[in-house]
Amino acid sequence: MRSSCEVVIVGSGFAGSLLARLLAVIGYDVVLLERGSHPRFAIGESSTPLANLSLERIGIRYGLEDCYQLATHGRWVEHFPNLRRGLKRGFTFYRHHPGQPVESDALTAERLLVAASPNDELSDSHWLRADVDHHFVREAVAAGVDYRDQVEVSSAEFRAQEVILTGTCDTIPFELSARFVIDASGPGGFLARQLSIPSALARTHTRSSLLYGHFDGARMMADVVPELPAGPYPDDWAAVHHIVDEGWMYSLRFDDGVTSAGFLLTPGATASLEVAAGDPQSMWRSLLRRYPILDNAFGGAAPTMPIAYRTAIQHRLSRAGGERWALMPHAFAFVDPLFSTGIAWSLRAVERLALAFESVATRQRVPGPDFIDHYARALSAEANQIDLVVAGAYEAMKHFELFAAQAMLYFAAVSFAEASQRLAPSDSVAWSGFLGVGDPVLNDLPAAAFERLRRITRSEERSDSEGERREFVDWITRAIEPRNIAGLADPSRANLYPVDFEALVDGHDRLGMSRSQVLSALPRLRGMSPPPDFSGGGSGRNFDLARKPEALPFFSVGEDATQRRQQESGNGAS
Ligand SMILES: Cc1cc2nc3c(=O)[nH]c(=O)nc-3n(C[C@H](O)[C@H](O)[C@H](O)COP(=O)(O)OP(=O)(O)OC[C@H]3O[C@@H](n4cnc5c(N)ncnc54)[C@H](O)[C@@H]3O)c2cc1C
């Protein structure tokens, strides 16, 4: 191990290795440290349009062809057939009830499909993380990153001009001096321990545990319940969410037939499973037995790895950055896989940090306190927002109409962000807030929805709760209207939402554009614009720092609604 570098990144998931590579392309001397080695199993597989937009922007800005090609399923299959992935056309939700027979058509009434792409070619993908993360590490090494695996970092000492990391690499002790350290080591990350960053978990609402695995031979819902009416895409080629009394189950099908599946269980749910918590196999079987449709789909599937159980998967720190250090989102906070926010949020942070380093590359070399403070506040506000959207959805799970309405909040925020970013691309897009943070319409909505949902679910014994539920659905419909450019919350759709270009064109005012401006930009959304020029080899070698803006385009974080409410009610956690 060498003794010094400019930037050290700890953790080589896709976020750490991609950021390391971008910094190397910009001209930094980067060391990437990994505790394990690649390829390795990792969870967090379902990508989204916002994640793919980030990947495309990264590919184009830094001249990295693979990032661009991996951003749609069609290009991925054509250019990287060996990296395993799954077609993800959208988000599928069903509500299951204990004992509900397989032949029941009740699923039709409690089913929600929201397309995320107009066709298979432009579709998102599930990432087989063992392959994808390994790819990004290899590319980081090719870009000049000094990558070391089998590393145990035992201490980080912050001095005036440097950070000193000590530890072992392949059992051999090392001491490494860096000007900046980025923690991309995921939950329980090493900087949290080294800097004793206090937990801020008490500030959040979502609580779930996880029972999960990869399976061979899971049956498609289209085969288990063939009478389901046709939706905007085949139900199974999506992130499939099965809502159950105990929480929900995800099912992500890879193109090679392997399925990643897991139950997210609410506190107390495991007690009703009549098995000892901690015996994942029997918990899995017991849950399937309660839901015959799920049993039919998964009962005969063979785990390709031991089924695993993790209690309380949420974590949240009180700060995401400081002098000479920054945390990647997954080291800072994790809420729940509902709505697949993790990859998109992580890639947004990769973009932001790369832009920050880029903007100071010719002078002070590492981002100063102003930037880090802004980055940290943004991550904090965004973590709160994700938590509120997801916690609201958990509150709503008992009543499918409530759940579907809460989901509209998520889909309105992300489809508006996607359309705005695609129709009017700009370098500064990475600085806009995630999930409506900083948006005058959307910023406070998740908090308001969560409070309303709590009031409804707690007053269920009252005779008017059905009316309250109807009122919530109407309220969400009105509240998202200024950002609803996707024809969402439309009862005539019967919960089946295709990608609706007509609604987008009709919503031109909401995007601040004229009808003809939207019409002329539509080919970009239909994937009909010419591919970027990667004639420099697509490996970042043509990146030209001199043409980059010096100024840092600070983004709008917006007010932190949760913190404000807590302060108003006198129990503000800092
Ligand atoms: C159950 C579950 C399901 C999820 N599903 C989705 C989903 O469908 N879609 C989505 O977008 N997101 C999902 N996520 C979130 C997603 O997993 C994360 O956003 C993503 O993994 C973040 O990637 P990363 O590279 O930052 O960190 P990680 O993938 O966590 O990688 C961290 C790396 O750091 C290494 N490391 C750890 N400690 C050290 C150390 N001390 N020193 C050196 N190296 C270290 C690890 O070995 C690992 O390689 C899910 C998360 C969970 C828990």
Side-chain angles (χ1 to χ4, degrees), residues 57-79:
R57 279 196 298 266
I58 287 169
I60 293 168
R61 184 173 188 85
Y62 299 100
L64 305 178
E65 185 172 1
D66 60 315
C67 294
Y68 177 79
Q69 307 297 12
L70 291 171
T72 71
H73 186 266
R75 299 200 298 260
W76 183 322
V77 171
E78 183 185 344
H79 294 275

Side-chain angles (χ1 to χ4, degrees), residues 10-17 33-38 40 42-48 51 88 129 133 151-153 183-190 193 210 212 239 250 252 264 310 313 328-331 334 336-337 339-346:
V10 180
S12 69
F14 69 87
S17 49
L33 304 177
E34 167 60 46
R35 186 169 57 189
S37 62
H38 288 274
R40 55 96 175 93
I43 207 158
E45 298 148 319
S46 193
S47 180
T48 57
K88 179 189 177 184
R129 291 283 303 275
D133 288 14
V151 169
E152 278 300 333
V153 184
D183 184 355
S185 66
F190 96 103
R193 290 190 303 277
L210 170 68
Y212 68 102
Y250 65 85
L252 313 174
L264 280 300
R310 287 192 210 161
I313 56 170
M328 296 310 289
H330 202 212
F334 178 69
D336 190 272
F339 301 129
S340 309
T341 48
I343 297 178
W345 194 33
S346 298

Side-chain angles (χ1 to χ4, degrees), residues 385 388-389 409 443-452 561-562 565:
Q385 193 82 327
L388 287 166
V389 172
L409 180 52
N443 190 67
D444 287 355
L445 270 189
F450 179 61
E451 280 170 21
R452 279 172 182 256
T562 305
R565 271 158 222 267

